[in-house]
Amino acid sequence: MKGIRITKSGKYQVTFDQGIINGVRHKSTKVFDTLGEAEKALTEFKYNKQRNLLVTVNNMSLVELLDYWMKKYVKYKCEETTRYGYNNIISKHIAPYFVDVELSKLQPMHVQDYYDHLMKVKGLSPNTVHKHHACIRKALDFGMKQQLVHRNVADAVELPKKEFFEGVSYSKEQLNELLQKVKGTKLEVPVYLASYLGLRREEISGLKWKNVDLEKRSISIVEVRTSAGKNVITKGPKTKESRRTIYIVDELLEVLLRQKVTQKRFKDILKSEYEDSDYVFTKDNGKPYRVNSVTEQFSKFLQQNNFPKIRLHDLRHSFASILYAEGLDLKAISEVLGHSNVGTTIKIYTHRFDIVHEKPAMAMSKALNLKNSNVV
């Protein structure tokens, strides 16, 4: 077959003629042990060449591909928080490690060694390694579509097992104690919103008075505030289920009414120096807090008042756990939490809802009427 010749060692050398590119003819060769392998490779090459599916001849490095992916895909397709995360991973970790490694020479073992480096040298967690993997794999997928690489080597890499993180929940008694202790402090509003409605940090930080109806006693989650480095990002909720309206109970209504009065008092005192931002959770001058500020304040408050250490987000977990213990069904809990489906709620919370599986065990006992049987 034209394009195949037998070498002195008795093997079969295939010449892949990609034609003239930018005025230069590009050819490459590869040696195979059998004629069948050589013919198969050449046939596949010709098939791809006829359909313009050949990988572009280039000396691009992995880092250059990642930069190209960021500029041509991530910039237009991903949210700012995602872009920020990818950029951090690439600039702080991937680029310094791979430096000038060419795409054409990149092998699964290179990526595998990188993941080992992240855990053993950098001390990063398996979960963080999965984030790095997602970045590399998506960039290489883009490279395949652009015909810059012929395969995604990241697909052949073995990933470490993810670690399951389990937050801590407060009991009813602990939560009641916290709610009493936080009254009159700057944390009263966020703690009550998280405890009584299960709101996320970004939902609390992004809540505006225009989305609070004190007469009809409802709060609408239509906007959130988050951050990407020093940049504050205001956007809509991630899913349509997260966009929801929740009833304001008496205890929370009192807190919100007090917050209204407090903000009005500071506005009267500070006059032009007061910033009427319309946010519910603000500093004395009306400006909203940094997104991370509330979690920092919360952690410090717990330490100063000798409360068990939890995250602000764990108040959301406490909210869900207490509701379930009170007999509320999973669908209702899922809806108020703003989960995309009940499956998400089950995945996150079931292990803490019924740790000894008492409910199904008792249901089976009742069904078989074991209590009335003469069991020895």
Side-chain angles (χ1 to χ4, degrees):
M1 179 184 289
K2 185 178 179 181
I4 300 177
R5 76 175 186 84
I6 302 177
T7 65
K8 292 181 180 179
S9 60
K11 294 187 178 182
Y12 300 86
Q13 178 179 291
V14 178
T15 298
F16 302 105
D17 187 354
Q18 293 180 311
I20 297 174
I21 301 174
N22 297 328
V24 180
R25 179 171 290 280
H26 288 270
K27 290 184 180 181
S28 61
T29 60
K30 189 172 182 179
V31 176
F32 296 89
D33 292 329
T34 68
L35 178 60
E37 290 174 333
E39 289 177 338
K40 180 180 178 182
L42 186 56
T43 300
E44 183 178 338
F45 172 80
K46 289 180 176 180
Y47 176 88
N48 289 335
K49 185 177 180 180
Q50 288 174 353
R51 286 158 181 77
N52 196 30
L53 297 175
L54 291 180
V55 171
T56 305
V57 175
N58 68 84
N59 294 318
M60 181 180 279
S61 68
L62 172 60
V63 176
E64 288 173 332
L65 169 64
L66 287 162
D67 182 61
Y68 184 68
W69 172 63
M70 288 289 292
K71 291 176 178 177
K72 300 299 182 181
Y73 180 84
V74 175
K75 180 180 179 180
Y76 302 105
K77 296 288 187 177
C78 300
E79 292 188 353
E80 187 174 347
T81 48
T82 304
R83 298 198 301 270
Y84 176 79
Y86 284 148
N87 186 63
N88 261 355
I89 289 173
I90 294 168
S91 61
K92 293 182 179 179
H93 299 281
I94 300 177
Y97 182 88
F98 286 98
V99 192
D100 296 321
V101 174
E102 292 183 15
L103 277 176
S104 60
K105 297 178 181 178
L106 185 67
Q107 297 296 318
M109 66 176 290
H110 297 140
V111 182
Q112 192 77 64
D113 289 344
Y114 171 64
Y115 295 162
D116 288 342
H117 168 79
L118 290 178
M119 290 190 292
K120 294 176 182 177
V121 179
K122 294 287 189 176
L124 301 183
S125 70
N127 293 11
T128 301
V129 171
H130 277 257
K131 293 179 181 179
H132 285 237
H133 175 73
C135 179
I136 293 173
R137 184 181 59 77
K138 289 176 181 178
L140 288 173
D141 270 346
F142 179 75
M144 286 178 64
K145 292 175 182 177
Q146 297 292 310
Q147 297 179 30
L148 298 171
V149 291
H150 68 278
R151 64 169 179 151
N152 191 334
V153 298
D155 289 337
V157 176
E158 292 294 327
L159 285 166
K161 186 177 180 180
K162 276 189 174 182
E163 295 175 341
F164 176 74
F165 176 79
E166 182 177 350
V168 181
S169 296
Y170 272 179
S171 64
K172 285 191 293 185
E173 293 72 23
Q174 289 173 315
L175 192 55
N176 260 318
E177 186 181 352
L178 173 65
L179 290 169
Q180 290 302 315
K181 196 72 176 179
V182 83
K183 277 187 176 180
T185 73
K186 294 186 183 300
L187 281 172
E188 183 178 27
V189 169
V191 168
Y192 267 73
L193 286 170
S195 300
Y196 276 99
L197 302 183
L199 297 193
R200 304 174 176 94
R201 182 183 69 174
E202 61 266 27
E203 293 170 342
I204 294 170
S205 298
L207 184 62
K208 288 186 174 181
W209 286 114
K210 67 179 181 180
N211 297 316
V212 178
D213 191 327
L214 295 175
E215 289 187 6
K216 294 182 179 179
R217 299 176 65 150
S218 66
I219 286 177
S220 297
I221 305 301
V222 296
E223 195 173 87
V224 300
R225 282 177 77 240
T226 185
S227 60
K230 295 181 180 180
N231 294 332
V232 175
I233 300 162
T234 302
K235 59 181 183 178
K238 192 172 184 179
T239 66
K240 64 178 183 179
E241 288 79 14
S242 293
R243 188 181 291 268
R244 60 203 188 279
T245 300
I246 316 173
Y247 182 75
I248 301 174
V249 296
D250 291 344
E251 297 85 350
L252 181 56
L253 180 63
E254 291 179 9
V255 170
L256 293 174
L257 288 171
R258 280 200 299 272
Q259 180 70 349
K260 267 279 191 185
V261 171
T262 299
Q263 289 183 336
K264 174 69 165 56
R265 178 161 50 86
F266 277 108
K267 184 177 181 180
D268 292 341
I269 294 172
L270 297 175
K271 300 186 183 331
S272 61
E273 294 180 13
Y274 186 87
E275 180 179 307
D276 199 352
S277 65
D278 196 42
Y279 283 105
V280 174
F281 179 51
T282 63
K283 302 176 185 178
D284 293 342
N285 62 4
K287 293 182 179 180
Y289 284 99
R290 286 185 302 108
V291 177
N292 292 336
S293 177
V294 63
T295 51
E296 296 164 359
Q297 291 181 50
F298 182 67
S299 178
K300 187 176 180 180
F301 179 86
L302 295 184
Q303 187 177 11
Q304 291 174 339
N305 292 276
N306 298 315
F307 277 97
K309 184 179 179 180
I310 63 170
R311 305 167 304 162
L312 180 72
H313 194 76
D314 289 324
L315 292 180
R316 178 173 163 86
H317 294 330
S318 304
F319 168 84
S321 299
I322 291 172
L323 285 182
Y324 185 81
E326 292 297 308
L328 199 67
D329 66 273
L330 283 174
K331 186 175 185 300
I333 295 173
S334 178
E335 289 173 352
V336 74
L337 288 172
H339 285 159
S340 56
N341 54 63
V342 178
T344 302
T345 311
I346 293 172
K347 183 179 178 181
I348 297 173
Y349 296 107
T350 296
H351 65 282
R352 66 171 77 220
F353 284 161
D354 195 5
I355 201 164
V356 295
H357 307 294
E358 179 182 355
K359 290 184 178 180
M362 291 303 294
M364 192 62 181
S365 173
K366 183 178 179 181
L368 297 177
N369 199 25
L370 292 177
K371 290 183 179 180
N372 298 325
S373 63
N374 297 318
V375 179
V376 179

